[in-house]
């Protein structure tokens, strides 16, 4: 359903669409204004997507999706940088060669053979604790290639509640492995 609103020379469209940012549900509102390029801002629990008037009659869903993807990318860049640094300090200098923020299909992160951590910007849809878990998980893979006893001991040492976030990997992989059973989230 599409709702139109007129406000001070602007036309707003309520797309009845929501997105997630760190587990919070955020509404998306499209506002047409005299602009050259699309803009986006987050005010409280509403994302305002400002589009040039020339897009009023065209299907703008793809433009809105692109703007939101760019927003996820930017939020991911800022938040991942913070958590990477916190984790490096916590692990007393253990760090990857580099890290990248790149869309991955069916994964939130991975460690390459070159010791580069790749993190999916979609991770910002989940709770911030999930971001910390995923980054710690990949840092632990710098020391332990497999999910060995030592790997889990290291996870336990630095994030005692890590098991409550393991379900995220299962959820991210469910489209890749549709028969995989998803465990329930344990709030810890």
């Amino acid at each position: 359903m599409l709702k139109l609103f007129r406000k001070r020379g602007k036309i707003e469209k309520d797309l009845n669409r929501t997105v997630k940012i760190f587990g919070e549900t955020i509404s998306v509102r499209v506002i047409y204004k005299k602009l050259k390029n699309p803009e986006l801002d987050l005010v409280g629990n509403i994302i305002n997507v400002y589009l040039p008037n020339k897009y009023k009659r065209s299907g703008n869903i793809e433009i809105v999706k692109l703007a939101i993807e760019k927003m996820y990318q930017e939020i991911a860049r800022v938040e991942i940088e913070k958590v990477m640094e916190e984790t490096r300090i916590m692990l007393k200098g253990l760090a990857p060669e580099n890290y990248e923020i790149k869309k991955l299909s069916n994964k939130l992160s991975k460690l390459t053979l070159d010791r580069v951590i790749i993190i999916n910007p979609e991770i910002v849809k989940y709770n911030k604790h999930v971001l910390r878990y995923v980054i710690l998980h990949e840092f632990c893979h710098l020391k332990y290639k497999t999910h060995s006893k030592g790997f889990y001991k290291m996870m336990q040492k630095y994030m005692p509640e890590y098991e409550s976030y393991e379900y995220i990997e299962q959820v991210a992989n469910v489209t890749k492995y549709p028969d995989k059973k998803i465990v329930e989230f344990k709030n810890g």
Side-chain angles (χ1 to χ4, degrees), residues 122-139:
E122 301 264 322
I123 199 163
V124 302
K125 292 179 180 179
Y126 299 93
N127 181 301
K128 281 189 182 184
H129 294 294
V130 173
L131 174 61
R132 289 183 182 94
Y133 163 79
V134 167
I135 289 175
L136 178 62
H137 183 105
E138 297 306 334
F139 268 69

Side-chain angles (χ1 to χ4, degrees), residues 41-96:
D41 71 5
L42 178 61
V43 180
N45 281 348
I46 298 173
I47 295 173
N48 293 313
V49 180
Y50 299 98
L51 296 177
N53 286 326
K54 68 182 178 183
Y55 291 117
K56 279 182 195 171
R57 291 196 172 88
S58 64
N60 59 31
I61 297 298
E62 290 306 313
I63 296 166
V64 171
K65 283 182 185 176
L66 183 61
I68 290 170
E69 279 183 32
K70 285 185 177 186
M71 179 197 65
Y72 279 147
Q73 189 80 22
E74 184 58 22
I75 292 170
R77 185 188 65 74
V78 170
E79 294 298 323
I80 289 168
E81 177 69 30
K82 283 185 210 171
V83 176
M84 292 289 280
E85 185 62 15
E86 289 169 5
T87 306
R88 185 190 63 74
I89 291 168
M90 180 175 66
L91 298 178
K92 296 174 179 55
L94 178 64

Side-chain angles (χ1 to χ4, degrees), residues 164-179:
S164 64
Y165 300 107
E166 283 189 316
Y167 83 100
I168 292 298
E169 289 178 310
Q170 293 174 336
V171 171
N173 285 320
V174 78
T175 54
K176 190 174 181 182
Y177 305 105
D179 297 334

Side-chain angles (χ1 to χ4, degrees), residues 31-47:
I31 302 169
Y32 294 93
K33 292 174 56 167
K34 188 176 178 178
L35 297 168
K36 287 188 178 187
N37 297 310
E39 296 176 5
L40 183 139
D41 71 5
L42 178 61
V43 180
N45 281 348
I46 298 173
I47 295 173

